[in-house]
Amino acid sequence: MTHHTIILGAGAAGLHCAAYAVGQGRSTLVIDHAKAPGDKIRISGGGRCNFTNTRTAPKHFLSTNPHFAKSALARYTPADFVALVERHGIAWHEKTLGQLFCDGSAKQIVAMLRDEMERAGADLWLNTTIVEVEKTEAGFAVTVERDGKRQTLSCANLVVATGGKSIPKMGATGFGYDLARQFGLPIVEPRPALVPFTLTGALHEEVKALAGVSVQGRVTAGQGGRGTTFDEAILFTHRGLSGPAVLQASSYWREGEMVRLSLAPQRDLADALLERAQAGDGKKTVETVLATMLPERLAHDICARAGVSGRLAEQGRKSLSRLNAAANDWQIIPAGTEGYRTAEVTLGGVDTDALSSQTMEAKAVQGLYFIGEVVDVTGWLGGYNFQWAWASAFAAGRAI
Ligand code: FDA
């Protein structure tokens, strides 16, 4: 069977690309080994899909080449995707920081993409194993197994949209990287990102006692704890640290590096406590007063770590400054991350040097395209990864 275009992967990027890759007399087939398309879309954003971010800008993406994503992001914007969502009558709202979610269910986004793709005339084969891909004179030969039968399909254009390695339980594989290597394309070493930190030893015991506590904090990671800063929630868990600020920071962290946490970044706690002493709280313990500013268990932990106890009136500035540092400049070294099991995305991927930033086509292999998460472009938390999937898919789809 001959197709104009075969798209490997029926996730966010693959489905969206299919709607644009189809043209008159150009048959397009999307292939996936999963039972259903867009599984990650379905579970994304707590089931409501944070489908884009109105603040999308190149600075919200990590890549060895930070300029690569600019062109595609400029040519398919959050407003373009919102217009599509609205054409399908899907109600949405902005939650925070430009993050747009469905009012109803993420399933609406999957249904919308499937509808767009089918309306354009593309076919979808699910439950299909990709056995082998080979280059031919006219394009590519793709051998698949479907309904227990093996068959070889041919196509002029092959789009790889098989995503990253995150959450193998949901069908994520390193297939796209292997295929890139097969065609001689370099890979930037993939690693889990947007992922909770794990801790060991005494630090783990300390944090375990805080499990369930959440604060609006600040986390800085990368460049030995002086790199990129995120002001969002920090969540203490039984295994370590999570919450949006931590997940964001994990994308910048490298093994063995220190991470800085600030648990009350809005104020200097020494100043705040001295004010409270002057306002008549001096007879209370430091811990009691601090517990009116921060969650009680956290106040207890900070006082213990700073070695500060007793009445507030008895404290000098030095001990209160120590307490502020324990809260606002807590330097920790994570043992690691929870890895691909829970990582929201995969950093690294197909080296952008090998791809055209206009079309996502491999420079050295005519007709071979890589889109979405398999490419070395990784967004921040907050709808940026889907926006990259839509934009890169559009760039390839329009070019085909
Ligand atoms: P995606 O992973 O969507 O699709 C890849 C497809 O390829 C899958 O259907 C898979 O089955 C298929 N495949 C893989 N290997 C194959 C093989 N060997 N053979 C055949 N098929 C194969 N982002 C965001 O912007 N907002 C959000 O709210 C969230 N929320 C979120 C929650 C959770 C829990 C996760 C894990 C991730 C998110 N993300 C997110 C990230 C987002 O889901 C992700 O970046 C995009 O889905 C990437 O789109 P792709 O199409 O590139 O890959």
Side-chain angles (χ1 to χ4, degrees), residues 9-14 31-34 40 43-45 49-50 128 130 161-163 167 171 173 175 343-345 371-374 383-386 389:
I31 297 175
D32 204 296
H33 62 177
K40 278 194 186 164
I43 60 153
S44 69
C49 186
N50 177 194
T128 305
I130 304 158
T162 46
I167 323 222
T173 67
F175 177 85
E344 216 166 271
V345 285
I371 58 173
E373 201 178 312
V374 72
Y384 298 108
N385 283 296
F386 279 139

Side-chain angles (χ1 to χ4, degrees), residues 45-347:
R48 290 230 160 89
C49 186
N50 177 194
F51 54 79
T52 192
N53 194 302
T54 56
R55 301 181 184 178
T56 297
K59 68 174 182 190
H60 301 120
F61 296 84
L62 291 88
S63 173
T64 307
N65 175 3
H67 302 294
F68 179 82
K70 286 181 180 171
S71 166
L73 290 172
R75 283 180 296 137
Y76 192 88
T77 65
D80 291 321
F81 197 76
V82 169
L84 180 62
V85 166
E86 290 190 338
R87 269 207 308 284
H88 283 256
I90 300 171
W92 56 272
H93 62 279
E94 178 175 342
K95 200 168 168 189
T96 173
L97 304 169
Q99 301 168 6
L100 306 191
F101 286 76
C102 297
D103 287 357
S105 159
K107 288 182 192 159
Q108 293 174 287
I109 300 291
V110 182
M112 174 190 85
L113 295 170
R114 196 165 179 174
D115 185 46
E116 284 287 310
M117 184 202 100
E118 282 167 0
R119 232 190 285 182
D123 292 319
L124 174 61
W125 284 7
L126 297 167
N127 288 310
T128 305
T129 306
I130 304 158
V131 180
E132 193 177 51
V133 174
E134 280 178 318
K135 185 85 187 83
T136 61
E137 236 171 70
F140 303 87
V142 182
T143 303
V144 298
E145 219 165 72
R146 189 176 182 232
D147 297 332
K149 278 193 225 118
R150 196 169 268 218
Q151 53 185 306
T152 299
L153 315 167
S154 58
C155 59
N157 300 291
L158 184 69
V159 182
V160 184
T162 46
K165 286 184 171 181
S166 302
I167 323 222
K169 244 192 189 168
M170 295 193 66
T173 67
F175 177 85
Y177 311 129
D178 296 340
L179 196 69
R181 284 193 197 98
Q182 180 190 328
F183 285 96
L185 273 62
I187 298 291
V188 175
E189 191 55 29
R191 50 182 287 126
L194 297 181
V195 62
F197 286 135
T198 54
L199 307 168
T200 48
L203 184 57
H204 183 212
E205 292 307 315
E206 181 181 350
V207 165
K208 225 165 39 174
L210 296 169
V213 170
S214 169
V215 283
Q216 275 304 311
R218 173 174 295 163
V219 183
T220 306
Q223 295 169 31
R226 287 177 302 280
T228 307
T229 294
F230 293 94
D231 283 309
E232 282 182 76
I234 298 173
L235 173 68
F236 295 89
T237 73
H238 284 103
R239 280 190 294 269
L241 293 164
S242 189
V246 171
L247 299 182
Q248 298 274 37
S250 73
S251 299
Y252 290 85
W253 180 76
R254 291 294 174 271
E255 279 72 13
E257 273 189 5
M258 186 258 282
V259 172
R260 271 173 209 274
L261 304 182
S262 177
L263 306 173
Q266 315 78 7
R267 54 185 159 183
D268 183 305
L269 290 177
D271 290 345
L273 287 165
L274 283 171
E275 271 171 35
R276 292 287 294 270
Q278 276 163 10
D281 281 339
K283 285 189 186 148
K284 296 179 184 164
T285 66
V286 184
E287 197 176 318
T288 305
V289 180
L290 193 62
T292 64
M293 304 174 185
L294 287 168
E296 199 175 337
R297 271 187 287 159
L298 195 54
H300 172 75
D301 177 71
I302 291 166
C303 289
R305 192 151 31 83
V308 175
S309 61
R311 290 184 181 184
L312 181 54
E314 291 160 7
Q315 313 299 324
R317 173 159 279 278
K318 211 169 156 195
S319 67
L320 293 182
S321 292
R322 205 163 66 236
L323 190 123
N324 181 60
N328 279 333
D329 191 16
W330 189 11
Q331 302 177 14
I332 62 154
I333 299 181
T337 72
E338 288 188 9
Y340 290 121
R341 191 178 60 82
T342 64
E344 216 166 271
V345 285
T346 305
L347 267 179

